[in-house]
Amino acid sequence: MNMAVRSQSLDDQLSKRNFDLLAKYIYDYSGIKMPHTKMTMLEGRLRRRLRVTGLPSFDSYCDYLFKQGGLESESIFLIDAVTTNKTDFFREPKHFEYMIQSALPDIVASFGDRRIRTWSSACSTGAEPYTMAMVLNEYIAAHAPDRDYFILATDLSTDVLQKAQRGIYQSDILAPVPTEMMRKYVMQPADKRRSEMRIHPTLRSKVGFARLNLMDDKYPVGEPQHLIFCRNVLIYFDKPTQNHVLSRLCDNLLPGGYLFIGHSETATGFDLPIKQVANTVFKRI
């Protein structure tokens, strides 16, 4: 993109017509619903893209996207700008308790695979897959030392994937990590005045990050998984999109494997090859 940098007027606002164009594209591309109540939010998030591209107004930005072929190069940045990426270590801790007490013992007993394959399908900045890695590392060391594991971590946003790969976090985000796990798996800064900490290479080597769009018809994740986490992303989809995503997730889950969704989400009302075994935890049948 070769554009002269021009300042955007602070009075410039996103028109309803342009919002509707953007909302339709975002939905078609990512499945994320953008009702009119989110117009101000979208406007605020796109102001940075206007500054980066040098375009002077929302009108010129949308003309560039939809009339001048700009979507080909801009779509990833547009989606990065609108996706919500709230994440915490040990978020919804009951899921990790269920992993330790029920899912992992069942998987070890039921499958002969040496490597436990797990997938964090909306990994955001990495807190979820690194939490999974801590839990798996501890469980295998204590109960199944002949086993190994690998975690595939995917997200739609390239921005959050880059942050996740670095594995560097502010100390407050790591606060929920138990003390002993913190000692083992989180490296403290040499300069104690710094608040950033980094996930230990032992865990980082067990997590592979890749971009994946859950709206795709097929998910190129390799062999079917023993565990899949897809938490707090279905809430942004309408029912048909939820059905599409859940069906594709089940296609990539081994019979006898476990699917975890967010505590505010549901898989009821869909014709899926799973049964509920705990609150927002399902087993492939």
Side-chain angles (χ1 to χ4, degrees):
M1 196 185 322
N2 184 18
M3 301 177 186
V5 176
R6 298 168 63 186
S7 60
Q8 181 204 7
S9 168
L10 294 177
D11 296 329
D12 184 46
Q13 293 183 323
L14 187 63
S15 70
K16 182 181 181 301
R17 175 183 172 277
N18 283 333
F19 175 84
D20 289 342
L21 285 171
L22 289 163
K24 182 180 186 305
Y25 178 78
I26 291 164
Y27 175 79
D28 290 343
Y29 185 93
S30 69
I32 297 171
K33 297 177 294 181
M34 299 292 292
H36 284 103
T37 53
K38 292 190 175 181
M39 185 183 292
T40 301
M41 180 273 285
L42 181 61
E43 182 179 293
R45 292 189 179 186
L46 288 183
R47 286 191 189 280
R48 180 176 178 274
R49 289 309 304 162
L50 267 64
R51 291 195 295 271
V52 170
T53 58
L55 291 163
S57 67
F58 289 113
D59 284 347
S60 58
Y61 180 72
C62 290
D63 282 349
Y64 168 68
L65 293 181
F66 300 112
K67 296 181 180 178
Q68 301 169 29
L71 279 171
E72 184 175 349
S73 59
E74 181 67 12
S75 61
I76 288 178
F77 302 108
L78 171 62
I79 297 301
D80 281 354
V82 302
T83 48
T84 301
N85 293 294
K86 174 175 169 48
T87 183
D88 298 297
F89 281 79
F90 285 89
R91 186 180 185 185
E92 299 182 348
K94 292 292 183 183
H95 281 158
F96 299 105
E97 292 175 15
Y98 187 88
M99 262 183 79
I100 295 166
Q101 295 168 6
S102 300
L104 289 175
D106 183 33
I107 288 167
V108 169
S110 302
F111 295 96
D113 309 61
R114 182 180 177 274
R115 174 174 286 183
I116 299 172
R117 297 185 297 276
T118 66
W119 177 21
S120 170
S121 64
C123 70
S124 187
T125 53
E128 179 177 272
Y130 288 132
T131 300
M132 294 165 71
M134 292 179 190
V135 169
L136 280 157
N137 221 60
E138 290 291 295
Y139 184 86
I140 287 173
H143 303 289
D146 61 326
R147 303 297 177 98
D148 195 5
Y149 71 93
F150 183 77
I151 299 168
L152 172 65
T154 65
D155 202 277
L156 181 61
S157 168
T158 55
D159 184 48
V160 299
L161 287 169
Q162 290 172 359
K163 294 175 183 176
Q165 284 179 310
R166 290 195 294 269
I168 298 172
Y169 301 95
Q170 294 293 324
S171 57
D172 57 332
I173 295 174
L174 288 155
V177 177
T179 303
E180 185 61 18
M181 288 187 181
M182 182 78 80
R183 185 186 65 79
K184 287 183 182 179
Y185 303 125
V186 181
M187 298 186 295
Q188 306 293 321
D191 184 350
K192 299 303 180 184
R193 292 171 297 181
R194 295 182 59 186
S195 60
E196 290 181 332
M197 303 179 188
R198 192 171 197 186
I199 302 300
H200 196 279
T202 301
L203 288 193
R204 298 206 312 273
S205 68
K206 295 292 189 181
V207 184
F209 293 96
R211 186 173 187 268
L212 186 143
N213 188 348
L214 291 172
M215 288 294 288
D216 290 346
D217 289 331
K218 292 185 178 180
Y219 300 159
V221 300
E223 295 181 82
Q225 308 291 307
H226 298 95
L227 289 165
I228 297 177
F229 275 54
C230 186
R231 305 189 305 164
N232 305 301
V233 63
L234 296 174
I235 54 174
Y236 298 106
F237 300 151
D238 59 17
K239 287 293 184 182
T241 306
Q242 290 175 5
N243 184 61
H244 169 88
V245 171
L246 288 167
S247 296
R248 297 292 78 75
L249 291 173
C250 290
D251 289 345
N252 290 279
L253 184 63
L254 282 166
Y258 290 84
L259 170 66
F260 295 75
I261 64 175
H263 285 330
S264 60
E265 298 169 331
T266 180
T268 58
F270 302 114
D271 184 17
L272 301 168
I274 52 177
K275 64 177 180 179
Q276 187 163 353
V277 292
N279 183 26
T280 60
V281 181
F282 302 83
K283 189 173 183 178
R284 176 80 151 87
I285 53 177

